[in-house]
């Protein structure tokens, strides 16, 4: 367990031992009154949770005998009772013996589980010795809000928790990097007792989403965005509906999107629905990655990561981690799609240019009406690309391939020149584009993040310039209708949404991942509904 690399052998062990029972979904109840918690219980059952966590430390007033009796007896789901003290990240700052009394009372009143902290676990477990009901379990937990220790330190911690007499081990650490999750996955896979392993924070999200793959006893999903009991906790509804939590097994293939930021991406929505529609044993997750090389070295198993989409800022950096690069992607100098072959090697593609260029060509086809041009409608057009990053490279290369005259505009002229030289085009700074209109009927493609959520009132070009363009494409898809596109429409230009590029490049990625044709109608319906 010295190596961080989560290799095939580690994951394969997850089909033996404790792994046969599916991971439970537990929803924390954060209501400040008993009545609120009763309402939340009903909602948790509706959503599809298996267990509710009654957080006694959230209650503003608490009468142990009366309140616990109501909460436990009236719960439509099995109950896990927690009263988390301040010193372990909770809200309880009262008398310690009263806190433990409440947990013992919960046990006698029929709770299925109580959660007690390692620091006081020996004392608590000794106090209930010989009094435990048959189906009652004690979860002994340790929370680290600073980092995720070494594999050795985590192993020692698990041994201490087991020695306390815990029925279920719970370890929650904090992710400083997404690779921290690997150490918790290893612990869960190799653990001989039921284990809950969670890595808190956005970089630890996969520890929650993939818990059934690594045999976690349970994981937590919040009822709503305002009722999250720990950093990075997903919604129970998203676990079930977006990530198909119930379908994840030890042999499920993991795909995902690597980027920074990445939470805004709609790709999990599309791919998980597509996988489910054809019964593929696969899941697609958000992967907040800081260091691409470290990520691929750590997660090196053929089923994790089996493939990924690649977004800003990794489209160029990730090139250096690949074993093979598709010739077109090599020419563009940016990738957005990575597939791990059965021998473990990584092959990269660029599907951005296919998605965007085909959408722009179809839009121009509408302009040409009943007399479509022979060859590409982009041939001979003056094509202005804003931005020289990964998407900018894809569009500049794609347009040049189709016979367009390409102009690249970027914040730094140096980067614009570098790309323009590659495609035989002209370079400008972004400031210069406002005064650049040598002809009318040009095509504009924005690949900068100007106008992206949350700064939706911004636009990369003033409205009066847009009259010189017959078509405007914006790669941004959050929001779908950017200020640039609205003003282009008002200027009588044909517009092409970023969602169109997203959908079409997604068709290609799906084909590369699975060898199957993408369910195009499903992709379109989902984007229409959620974009």
């Amino acid at each position: 367990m010295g190596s961080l690399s989560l290799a095939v052998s580690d994951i394969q062990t997850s089909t033996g031992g404790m792994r046969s029972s599916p991971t439970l979904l537990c929803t924390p109840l954060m209501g400040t009154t008993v009545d609120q918690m009763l309402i939340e219980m009903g909602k948790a059952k509706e959503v599809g949770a298996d267990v509710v966590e009654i957080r006694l430390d959230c209650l503003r007033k608490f009468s142990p005998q009366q309140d616990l009796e109501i909460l436990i007896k009236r719960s439509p789901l099995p109950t896990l009772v927690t009263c988390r003290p301040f010193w372990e990240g909770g809200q309880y700052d009262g008398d310690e013996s009263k806190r433990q009394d409440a947990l013992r009372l919960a046990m006698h009143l029929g709770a299925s589980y109580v959660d007690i902290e390692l620091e006081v676990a020996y004392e608590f477990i000794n106090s209930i010795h010989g009094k435990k009901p048959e189906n009652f379990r004690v979860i002994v937990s340790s929370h680290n809000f600073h980092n995720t220790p070494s594999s050795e330190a985590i192993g020692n911690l698990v041994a201490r928790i087991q020695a306390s007499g815990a029925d279920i081990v719970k370890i929650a650490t904090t992710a400083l990097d997404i690779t921290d999750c690997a150490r918790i996955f290893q612990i869960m896979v190799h653990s001989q007792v039921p284990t809950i392993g969670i890595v808190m924070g956005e970089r630890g999200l996969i520890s929650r989403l993939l818990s059934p793959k690594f045999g976690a006893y349970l994981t937590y999903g919040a009822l709503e965005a305002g009722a999250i009991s720990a950093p990075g906790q997903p919604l129970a509804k998203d676990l079930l509906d977006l990530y198909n939590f119930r379908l994840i097994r030890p042999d499920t293939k993991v795909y995902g999107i690597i980027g920074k930021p990445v939470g805004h991406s709609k790709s999990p929505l599309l791919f998980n629905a597509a996988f489910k529609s054809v019964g593929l044993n696969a899941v697609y997750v958000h992967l907040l990655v800081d260091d691409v090389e470290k990520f691929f070295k750590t997660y090196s198993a053929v089923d994790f990561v089996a493939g990924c989409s690649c977004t800003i800022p990794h489209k160029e950096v990730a090139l250096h981690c690949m074993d093979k690069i598709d010739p077109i992607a090599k020419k563009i100098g940016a990738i957005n799609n990575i597939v791990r072959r059965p021998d473990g090697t990584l092959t990269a593609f660029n599907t951005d240019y296919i998605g965007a260029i085909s959408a722009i060509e179809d839009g121009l086809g509408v302009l040409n009406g009943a007399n479509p041009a022979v060859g590409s409608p982009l041939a001979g057009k003056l094509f202005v690309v804003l931005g020289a990053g990964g998407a900018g490279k894809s569009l500049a290369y794609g347009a040049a391939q189709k016979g367009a005259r390409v102009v690249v505009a970027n914040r730094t002229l140096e980067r614009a020149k570098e790309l323009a030289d590659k495609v035989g085009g002209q370079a400008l700074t972004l400031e210069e584009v406002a005064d650049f209109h040598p002809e009318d009927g040009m095509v504009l493609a924005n690949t900068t993040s100007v106008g992206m959520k949350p700064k939706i009132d911004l636009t990369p070009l003033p409205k009066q310039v847009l009259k010189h363009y017959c078509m405007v494409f914006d790669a941004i898809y959050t929001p779908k209708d950017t200020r640039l596109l609205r003003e282009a429409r008002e200027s009588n230009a044909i517009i092409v949404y970023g969602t169109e590029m997203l959908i079409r490049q997604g068709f290609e990625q799906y084909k590369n991942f699975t060898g199957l044709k993408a369910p195009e109608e499903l992709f379109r319906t989902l984007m229409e509904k959620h974009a």
Side-chain angles (χ1 to χ4, degrees):
M1 213 184 283
S3 158
L4 275 194
S5 177
L6 205 60
V8 189
S9 56
D10 281 324
I11 293 172
Q12 282 169 345
T13 58
S14 67
T15 51
M18 307 298 302
R19 303 277 123 36
S20 54
S21 66
T23 300
L24 299 172
L25 174 56
C26 177
T27 297
L29 308 179
M30 307 289 287
T32 55
T33 66
V34 169
D35 287 344
Q36 259 181 312
M37 281 194 179
L38 290 172
I39 292 166
E40 288 172 355
M41 283 173 179
K43 286 183 184 170
K45 186 173 169 62
E46 262 172 54
V47 165
D50 303 302
V51 181
V52 287
E53 180 185 32
I54 298 171
R55 284 290 299 259
L56 298 180
D57 53 308
C58 293
L59 291 171
R60 277 201 297 261
K61 286 180 184 162
F62 177 51
S63 314
Q65 183 71 42
Q66 185 189 335
D67 294 348
L68 277 170
E69 186 133 16
I70 293 170
L71 288 166
I72 292 167
K73 297 275 194 277
R74 286 176 58 185
S75 174
L77 294 169
T79 53
L80 187 175
V81 179
T82 305
C83 185
R84 190 76 69 218
F86 256 166
W87 49 264
E88 190 87 351
Q91 298 181 38
Y92 181 82
D93 61 350
D95 181 78
E96 178 59 23
S97 59
K98 282 184 180 167
R99 186 177 80 91
Q100 291 191 33
D101 284 345
L103 295 176
R104 278 186 286 269
L105 180 59
M107 174 185 84
H108 292 303
L109 289 171
S112 300
Y113 312 88
V114 300
D115 178 333
I116 188 82
E117 301 71 27
L118 175 59
E119 202 165 306
V120 293
Y122 285 86
E123 174 194 337
F124 179 82
I125 289 169
N126 283 338
S127 77
I128 59 169
H129 185 66
K131 300 172 193 167
K132 271 171 71 177
E134 200 183 331
N135 293 326
F136 173 77
R137 302 277 179 275
V138 177
I139 298 170
V140 175
S141 58
S142 164
H143 296 78
N144 178 333
F145 294 98
H146 307 292
N147 58 20
T148 299
S150 67
S151 295
E152 192 185 356
I154 298 170
N156 292 338
L157 182 60
V158 169
R160 279 179 59 208
I161 294 175
Q162 286 178 354
S164 73
D167 298 305
I168 299 166
V169 170
K170 177 185 171 188
I171 292 182
T173 64
T174 298
L176 303 181
D177 189 273
I178 194 167
T179 56
D180 291 345
C181 299
R183 302 200 282 286
I184 293 295
F185 290 149
Q186 282 178 331
I187 286 292
M188 287 200 291
V189 161
H190 295 294
S191 178
Q192 297 308 303
V193 297
T195 303
I196 301 164
I198 285 163
V199 190
M200 297 180 284
E202 199 185 344
R203 286 166 177 79
L205 178 65
I206 55 168
S207 70
R208 300 170 184 276
L209 306 183
L210 301 178
S211 49
K213 181 171 177 64
F214 299 101
Y217 184 80
L218 63 73
T219 197
Y220 298 84
L223 259 188
E224 46 209 26
I228 286 165
S229 65
Q233 195 174 86
L235 297 181
K237 190 180 185 319
D238 285 348
L239 277 169
L240 295 168
D241 300 345
L242 172 58
Y243 299 107
N244 301 328
F245 181 78
R246 298 281 186 223
L247 301 178
I248 300 172
R249 306 195 299 265
D251 59 348
T252 296
K253 282 188 172 183
V254 180
Y255 297 86
I257 176 159
I258 63 171
K260 183 185 175 182
V262 79
H264 64 282
S265 171
K266 297 275 193 288
S267 296
L269 180 80
L270 303 180
F271 285 104
N272 285 324
F275 292 157
K276 191 178 179 181
S277 73
V278 292
L280 274 180
N281 181 17
V283 62
Y284 186 105
V285 296
H286 289 103
L287 300 162
L288 178 57
V289 171
D290 297 281
D291 182 333
V292 183
E293 196 178 341
K294 190 177 175 187
F295 173 79
F296 283 117
K297 269 189 183 153
T298 302
Y299 300 112
S300 58
V302 289
D303 65 346
F304 181 30
V305 177
C308 50
S309 312
C310 184
T311 188
I312 296 165
H314 301 317
K315 290 182 183 218
E316 295 158 75
V317 184
L319 275 165
H320 310 300
C321 307
M322 298 300 116
D323 299 295
K324 191 178 170 198
I325 300 160
D326 177 74
I328 295 173
K330 199 173 243 177
K331 275 185 182 162
I332 293 171
I335 57 176
N336 72 312
N337 182 219
I338 298 162
V339 177
R340 198 184 290 280
R341 300 295 182 205
D343 64 358
T345 58
L346 296 169
T347 301
F349 303 89
N350 187 308
T351 69
D352 277 339
Y353 86 100
I354 304 170
I357 296 296
S358 68
I360 289 167
E361 285 183 319
D362 286 356
L364 288 171
V366 172
L367 264 185
N368 296 341
N371 306 312
V374 178
S376 170
L378 272 169
K381 285 275 184 200
L382 195 56
F383 190 92
V384 180
V385 184
L386 306 182
K393 286 178 173 177
S394 303
L395 277 139
Y397 177 84
Q401 284 284 94
K402 300 289 187 176
R405 296 167 291 140
V406 178
V407 176
V408 180
N410 194 55
R411 207 157 32 95
T412 56
L413 186 60
E414 210 174 302
R415 279 204 78 176
K417 274 187 176 151
E418 201 182 308
L419 177 53
D421 289 347
K422 274 187 181 171
V423 297
Q426 185 183 346
L428 300 171
T429 63
L430 285 174
E431 289 74 39
E432 290 171 318
V433 184
D435 298 316
F436 177 80
H437 34 85
E439 60 189 68
D440 285 338
M442 301 185 291
V443 175
L444 178 71
N446 174 44
T447 71
T448 73
S449 59
V450 179
M452 187 169 157
K453 203 172 171 184
K455 298 183 177 177
I456 57 171
D457 51 342
L458 299 182
T459 181
L461 277 187
K463 185 179 178 180
Q464 65 269 22
V465 180
L466 300 176
K467 63 182 182 221
H468 301 290
Y469 293 90
C470 68
M471 162 170 289
V472 175
F473 162 78
D474 197 340
I476 291 169
Y477 61 88
T478 50
K480 178 182 177 180
D481 210 18
T482 57
R483 180 178 161 190
L484 174 67
L485 291 180
R486 287 199 308 275
E487 292 182 346
R489 200 167 42 232
E490 289 159 13
S491 309
N492 297 318
I494 287 211
I495 63 165
V496 177
Y497 291 111
T499 48
E500 199 51 42
M501 171 181 172
L502 179 78
I503 289 168
R504 291 174 185 229
Q505 63 80 29
F507 296 162
E508 295 295 316
Q509 291 209 46
Y510 184 85
K511 196 167 76 185
N512 291 341
F513 286 152
T514 65
L516 305 171
K517 187 180 183 300
E520 298 186 5
E521 270 314 299
L522 178 64
F523 271 39
R524 289 196 179 283
T525 306
L526 286 166
M527 281 310 292
E528 202 55 48
K529 191 174 164 191
H530 295 278

